[in-house]
């Protein structure tokens, strides 16, 4: 039998209830300033590339020049190394703030003075890949070879191997290759969250250790000075950073602390007309005593210590068919065909929660024929009926009825349930169904008396909704919310 398609993208993340970051000092937000050092690692025929650079410069919309040097482009990048870097270095060292550098290995090798200044300032120097080039069309083995060489050259130039990685111009294989490499404490080639998280490949046939991901940003980033519909002035840059920071602080004060990344480039924000805006923001952040300004390695080590990787006990989207049906076949009472059909859907990480898997199962119930849905209703036992007395209920039904005290009825209560059960089944052809976990004996009896007056179509719909509710409550007991 052909295995169904699985959706590898994670559209859920932490969901509605992310973990509490517990930043040092009770900070409301962790702030990560990142200086991208790419100058000397960009596309250039002098570097053996096929064409000149065309990305992130004052020449917005530039095109590559095949087999030619682009003198203007080269000199713009050179400004970043010769002028912009030192301006940023002075700003952050005078402010006493920690910085993470995304360092392109080739660029670092061509800038020994800048590397020494980074080290003297205590900045973290992470890897930004071997060259500042686009990897989207690279073969996997070629990209792996470049990553290996990036680590080797970085270690040789800096004096220690990089603990973090951000490639930036990635392929679909970049993150997987970084995790496979095995030596990075953190990687940042995602933009999908406001908190660090663990990426694993458990159950996907790969022997790769869990990898900590610290998501990066393209919005709170000076690259928008060099893109259409970007920042036209320093005031716009400052206003955007301030609004983002204020939002993070307000969310943190409300009990949901997270992380803000600020992306910087020596040749962009290092220009005098822009760096003043960055300085205003730095001064603004420093005035807040509930902002933890940290390098990315510091954030990573905090996360490892306070939120270590926890393997998932159940991953529905990564289960084999037999395991899936065996585990979830009884969620809809005595109706494993619902789980069998749900398994064939395009399941993914979003279905590994109670709500997500419930949606998949409920879709199959809702799309079934009326006769099939009637069979599900008829599979449910009478409340406090003969099966309960004979202790022949499913484990789930036994626990559910007991939770509402239906296993300890008085003679009068049992007689009332029996009378209502008989009348209800005679009228509708299926037993009365209600999510007992939401109710008490009194509210169940009240609902019983009200619903028995419904017409058949209305009550069929009401019973189906209760079946779905019961299934959700059962899933809540075994899967994360």
């Amino acid at each position: 039998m052909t295995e169904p398609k699985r959706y590898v993208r994670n559209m859920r993340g932490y969901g509605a209830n992310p973990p509490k970051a517990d930043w040092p000092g009770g900070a409301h937000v962790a702030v990560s300033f990142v200086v991208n050092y790419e100058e000397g690692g960009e596309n250039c025929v002098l570097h053996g590339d096929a064409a000149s650079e065309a990305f992130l410069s004052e020449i917005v919309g530039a095109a590559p020049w095949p087999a030619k040097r682009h003198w203007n482009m080269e000199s713009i990048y050179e400004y970043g190394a010769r002028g912009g870097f030192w301006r940023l270095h002075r700003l952050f060292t005078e402010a006493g703030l920690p910085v993470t550098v995304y360092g392109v290995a080739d660029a670092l090798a061509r800038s020994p003075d800048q590397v020494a200044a980074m080290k003297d300032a205590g900045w973290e120097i992470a890897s930004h890949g071997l060259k500042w080039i686009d990897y989207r069309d690279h073969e996997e083995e070629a990209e792996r070879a470049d990553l290996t060489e990036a680590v080797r050259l970085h270690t040789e130039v800096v004096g220690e191997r990089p603990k973090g990685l951000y490639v930036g111009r990635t392929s679909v294989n970049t993150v997987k290759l970084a995790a496979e490499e095995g030596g990075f404490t953190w990687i940042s080639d995602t933009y999908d969250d406001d908190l660090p998280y663990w990426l694993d490949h458990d159950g996907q046939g790969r022997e790769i250790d869990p990898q900590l991901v610290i998501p990066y940003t393209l919005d709170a980033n000076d690259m928008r000075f060099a893109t259409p519909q970007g920042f036209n002035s320093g005031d716009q840059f400052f206003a955007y950073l301030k609004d983002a920071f204020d939002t993070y602080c307000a969310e943190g004060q409300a009990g949901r602390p997270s992380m803000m990344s600020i992306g910087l480039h020596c040749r962009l924000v290092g220009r005098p007309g822009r760096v003043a805006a960055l300085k205003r923001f730095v001064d603004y952040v420093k005035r807040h005593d509930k902002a933890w300004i940290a390098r990315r390695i510091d954030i990573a080590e905090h996360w490892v210590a306070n939120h270590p990787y926890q393997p998932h006990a159940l991953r529905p989207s990564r289960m084999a068919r037999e395991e899936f049906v065996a585990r979830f076949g009884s969620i809809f009472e005595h109706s494993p065909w619902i789980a069998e059909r749900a398994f064939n859907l395009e399941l993914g990480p979003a279905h590994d929660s109670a709500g997500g898997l419930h949606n998949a199962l409920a879709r199959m119930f809702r799309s079934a024929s009326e006769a099939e849905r009637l069979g599900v209703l008829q599979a449910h036992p009478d409340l406090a009926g003969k099966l309960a007395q004979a202790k022949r209920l499913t484990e789930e039904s036994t626990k559910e009825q007991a939770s509402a005290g239906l296993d300890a009825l008085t003679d009068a209560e049992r007689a009332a349930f029996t009378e209502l059960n008989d009348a209800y089944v005679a009228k509708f052809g299926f037993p009365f169904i209600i999510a007992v976990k939401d109710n008490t004996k009194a509210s169940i009896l009240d609902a019983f008396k009200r619903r028995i007056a419904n017409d058949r179509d209305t009550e069929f719909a009401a019973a189906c909704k209760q079946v779905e509710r019961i299934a959700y409550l059962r899933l809540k007991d075994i899967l994360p919310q």
Side-chain angles (χ1 to χ4, degrees):
M1 183 180 294
T2 304
E3 288 298 304
K5 183 180 179 181
R6 291 294 179 252
Y7 194 63
V8 297
R9 295 171 65 198
N10 188 338
M11 311 301 285
R12 181 175 185 272
Y14 287 122
N17 300 296
K20 188 170 183 180
D22 293 322
W23 301 130
H28 295 154
V29 60
V31 179
S32 168
F33 287 100
V34 174
V35 172
N36 292 262
Y37 197 85
E38 298 154 353
E39 289 76 10
E42 79 278 11
N43 282 285
C44 179
V45 296
L46 293 178
H47 304 160
D49 300 308
S52 63
E53 185 56 71
F55 192 47
L56 292 189
S57 80
E58 303 297 332
I59 311 173
V60 179
W65 289 7
K68 293 181 180 179
R69 292 180 64 186
H70 192 316
W71 189 266
N72 291 350
M73 183 66 72
E74 289 179 20
S75 65
I76 288 171
Y77 270 75
E78 287 161 17
Y79 182 88
R82 295 163 54 139
F85 170 80
W86 296 107
R87 189 168 283 118
L88 293 179
H89 184 267
R90 288 191 296 272
L91 189 160
F92 284 108
T93 54
E94 289 172 6
L97 296 186
V99 169
T100 291
V101 175
Y102 289 166
V104 174
D106 272 0
L108 297 176
R110 295 183 173 111
S111 300
D113 288 348
Q114 290 89 334
V115 171
M118 296 173 195
K119 295 174 66 175
D120 288 345
W123 291 3
E124 174 192 15
I125 309 177
S127 176
H128 201 359
L130 178 63
K131 303 173 71 174
W132 178 230
I133 60 176
D134 197 332
Y135 280 95
R136 61 182 169 178
D137 294 324
H138 272 55
E139 294 295 329
E140 184 173 345
E141 285 305 313
E143 186 176 357
R144 179 182 284 108
D146 272 11
L147 180 59
T148 300
E149 175 60 13
V151 172
R152 187 205 68 78
L153 181 57
H154 184 111
T155 304
E156 183 179 278
V157 170
V158 176
E160 58 183 6
R161 74 151 285 153
K163 295 181 179 179
L165 172 71
Y166 173 75
V167 174
R169 298 159 84 174
T170 60
S171 77
V172 71
N173 297 311
T174 301
V175 169
K176 181 193 70 170
L177 291 173
E180 285 179 348
E181 198 273 343
F184 294 108
T185 303
W186 59 267
I187 63 175
S188 282
D189 274 304
T190 70
Y191 315 95
D192 53 6
D193 215 301
D194 293 305
L195 284 172
Y197 63 88
W198 292 97
L199 179 68
D200 69 43
H201 299 82
D202 178 42
Q204 295 185 324
R206 299 179 186 145
E207 295 298 325
I208 305 175
D209 290 336
Q211 175 66 62
L212 183 64
V213 176
I214 302 180
Y216 189 46
T217 181
L218 297 181
D219 68 312
N221 193 310
D222 68 357
M223 67 177 287
R224 293 183 59 199
F225 282 116
T227 60
Q229 198 177 2
F231 302 125
N232 290 320
S233 70
D235 286 344
Q236 292 177 344
F237 185 46
F238 171 75
Y240 191 89
L241 295 183
K242 179 181 178 298
D243 284 349
F245 178 76
D246 289 346
T247 298
Y248 281 121
C249 286
E251 291 175 346
Q253 189 172 13
R256 299 170 65 87
S258 53
M259 179 186 72
M260 178 181 184
S261 297
I262 300 101
L264 307 170
H265 298 76
C266 302
R267 64 191 175 279
L268 295 177
V269 80
R271 292 282 178 174
R274 297 169 182 151
V275 77
L278 175 61
K279 185 178 187 307
R280 289 200 300 276
F281 179 69
V282 165
D283 292 341
Y284 183 75
V285 171
K286 286 185 67 177
R287 291 197 294 271
H288 287 256
D289 60 0
K290 288 297 183 179
W292 179 44
I293 305 168
R295 303 173 304 172
R296 295 177 96 73
I297 187 62
D298 304 320
I299 293 171
E301 290 175 350
H302 171 86
W303 206 261
V304 170
N306 292 273
H307 301 279
Y309 172 72
Q310 300 291 338
H312 295 264
L314 284 178
R315 280 273 177 87
S317 69
R318 298 186 184 180
M319 287 181 172
R321 184 183 300 273
E322 287 187 7
E323 181 187 8
F324 184 91
V325 175
R327 190 67 185 84
F328 304 113
S330 63
I331 295 299
F332 280 74
E333 192 86 2
H334 293 300
S335 302
W337 59 267
I338 294 177
E340 290 169 357
R341 293 180 188 178
F343 184 82
N344 293 324
L345 293 174
E346 185 192 65
L347 302 181
H351 298 98
D352 291 336
S353 66
L357 184 58
H358 178 260
N359 180 266
L361 295 170
R363 283 173 59 189
M364 298 300 92
F365 176 63
R366 295 166 190 164
S367 62
S369 68
E370 182 173 335
E372 288 173 319
R373 284 180 287 146
L374 176 60
V376 176
L377 301 187
Q378 291 172 334
H380 279 260
D382 288 332
L383 291 182
K386 294 178 180 178
L387 289 178
Q389 296 175 45
K391 299 187 182 302
R392 290 173 55 195
L393 299 180
T394 63
E395 181 180 352
E396 291 91 347
S397 290
T398 298
K399 290 179 180 177
E400 288 159 2
Q401 294 205 21
S403 70
L406 300 185
D407 62 340
L409 298 176
T410 65
D411 290 342
E413 289 171 334
R414 186 173 293 107
F417 270 104
T418 300
E419 180 180 351
L420 286 167
N421 282 331
D422 291 344
Y424 185 95
V425 173
K427 180 175 181 179
F428 298 116
F430 51 85
F432 177 74
I433 300 170
I434 191 168
V436 295
K437 285 188 177 181
D438 294 334
N439 290 277
T440 63
K441 282 190 290 186
S443 64
I444 291 170
L445 280 169
D446 180 64
F448 218 148
K449 293 171 183 177
R450 282 186 292 101
R451 284 172 49 188
I452 202 170
N454 286 337
D455 61 75
R456 207 266 183 183
D457 289 345
T458 300
E459 187 54 23
F460 185 86
C464 286
K465 288 182 178 180
Q466 288 299 314
V467 164
E468 292 187 17
R469 176 65 180 167
I470 291 167
Y472 175 65
L473 293 172
R474 289 176 177 179
L475 289 170
K476 281 181 66 177
D477 288 339
I478 57 177
L479 289 173
Q481 307 305 301

